[in-house]
Amino acid sequence: MNRVSLEALLTDPASSAAPGGLRELLPPLTQHEALTESARCLMCYDAPCTHACPTHIDIPRFIKKISTGNLLGSARTILTANLLGATCARVCPVQELCEGACVLGSEHKPIAIGRLQRYAMDHIYGKRIAIFQPAKPTGKKVAVVGAGPAGLTCAGELAKLGHTVTLYEKRDLGGGLSTYGIIVLREPVEVALAEVQMVQRLGVRLETGKEVGVNIDAADLQKDFDAVFVSVGLGNTPQLGIPGEEYILDGLQYIEGSKHQPSQLRVGRNVIVIGAGNTAIDCATIARRLGAERVTMVYRRTENEMTAYPHEYDFVKHEGVTFWFLAQPIKVHHENGLVHALECVRISLAEPDASGRPSPKPIPGSTMLLPADQIVKAIGQHKPTLASLLNLQTESGFIQVDEEFETSCPGIFAGGDCIRARGSASTVMAVEDGKLAARSIHQRLVQNG
Ligand SMILES: Cc1cc2nc3c(=O)[nH]c(=O)nc-3n(C[C@H](O)[C@H](O)[C@H](O)COP(=O)(O)OP(=O)(O)OC[C@H]3O[C@@H](n4cnc5c(N)ncnc54)[C@H](O)[C@@H]3O)c2cc1C
Ligand code: SF4
């Protein structure tokens, strides 16, 4: 896909190479809107929004700086706490985080914190302003494995402190799920790539197409570097284990296609999406926006147990997506390679299972056929495999770390989705892990002299 530069995109959003239905959903604030919105902020003392932000950006401070026209200072305040402020401004579930805590939310509208953050970030990226400079080298070497939000942040923060960082990434582009997994409606690829370049400009050496455990020996990292940070995220979509599964599309690849090769992505007329998390919602949104007449999400529990955020659920219903709850896929019906239906069995909910949610029990003799010409599954991601290669202890398949983000192997630290054994994962949490792990690694390198 031919991309426009981020500068051009920020000046004229219509210049995006993405199909119209897949352009960034929210327009940027105008100067007038940003000034008016920032003037509404009460500048609370001990601001609840700052507590609610996982990276604890000093929100009243950056908003105050916007209101006085000091966009550079505003951007510096944001980036000091959160190096990926441009991505987070777009992808954070702000309703659940900073904006959800805004005191104005109870009686009026909360301050549009995410959009103001984006306003300050777009200013510096649009003008190619570098806020931080590389520091004097310390002579210490750190390897970071995986260039998603956690790895980029850790690498960037370490480079700011003068350490020599090599960032290994198995894909062709850095950015992790911001580049490959988050739909363009929320974040254009160009924004994620601009942040990758910003980290490289801090002196981080990014080696793409290098998969640790495949073409880089995991054990060599321990020998060649003073510390290692593992931020490999999670793996592919797991199998459902049903007949005809080979005709079901992988939701992560579906989204990736919509971001990088939208003109080549075949979208059915009658699409079923299996799952009810945020990724499933994103797949359903893409299918609708790229022309599917009917999109149905199939989930074996009810809306009470869905893992998607409530605002995402509302959004996708407004997009015209419908739901089949309490239905479990058991077989794909196809002919000559073409899908024509998904067979499901009805479910009743029983005692909670290991996840704490009611366990789905198939109702004998209750099968039904749901017509479909395309089926996409978005039912989570495999656990990280690198943990076993490095002999790291795990918890439910996730890498175990202590409060310093150090794994069971001294000198190897980890963060991001690969350690998130509990609760939902998000970009801003991965950024915070990367930042805190960089501090721990720095402390260790300084102590070791
Ligand atoms: C479809 C989807 C939509 C999402 N939407 C949102 C959203 O709107 N808002 C939000 O806050 N969060 C969202 N998330 C969650 C968010 O994207 C993740 O929490 C975040 O990207 C985690 O960052 P990470 O750095 O831990 O992992 P990742 O972003 O997964 O990055 C890991 C990187 O490591 C690389 N890697 C893996 N193994 C190796 C290896 N052996 N050697 C070298 N490199 C390796 C991978 O290629 C990848 O680039 C979404 C997730 C998905 C799947
Ligand atoms: S990083 Fe996310 S949660 Fe924090 S202030 Fe910005 S938009 Fe809100």
Side-chain angles (χ1 to χ4, degrees), residues 79 82-89 117 148-149 152-153 195 198-199 427 431:
L79 291 171
N82 181 329
L83 206 54
L84 303 192
T87 284
C88 287
Q117 180 171 317
L152 282 171
T153 306
E195 287 181 326
M198 176 268 292
V199 168
T427 302
V431 168

Side-chain angles (χ1 to χ4, degrees), residues 376-391:
V376 182
K377 67 175 172 186
I379 51 165
Q381 289 177 264
H382 274 300
K383 305 294 182 311
T385 50
L386 199 62
S388 57
L389 274 176
L390 288 163
N391 287 324

Side-chain angles (χ1 to χ4, degrees), residues 75 101 118 124 144 173 268 270 272 294 318 372 374 388 426 439:
R118 174 176 157 191
I124 58 153
V144 175
L173 298 170
N270 187 3
I272 285 181
R294 187 181 165 86
H318 277 113
Q374 186 172 59
S388 57
S426 65
R439 286 182 191 164

Side-chain angles (χ1 to χ4, degrees), residues 23-75:
R23 305 246 170 94
E24 195 167 5
L25 203 57
L26 291 174
L29 293 177
T30 62
Q31 185 189 28
H32 176 71
E33 287 168 335
L35 289 175
T36 312
E37 189 63 9
S38 57
R40 286 208 307 126
C41 179
L42 302 177
M43 310 289 158
C44 302
Y45 175 72
D46 200 22
C49 53
T50 291
H51 286 288
C53 168
T55 55
H56 307 300
I57 295 176
D58 188 339
I59 294 169
R61 190 179 170 89
F62 96 69
I63 291 181
K64 172 91 181 160
K65 287 180 176 172
I66 291 179
S67 73
T68 58
N70 178 5
L71 291 185
L72 222 60
S74 179

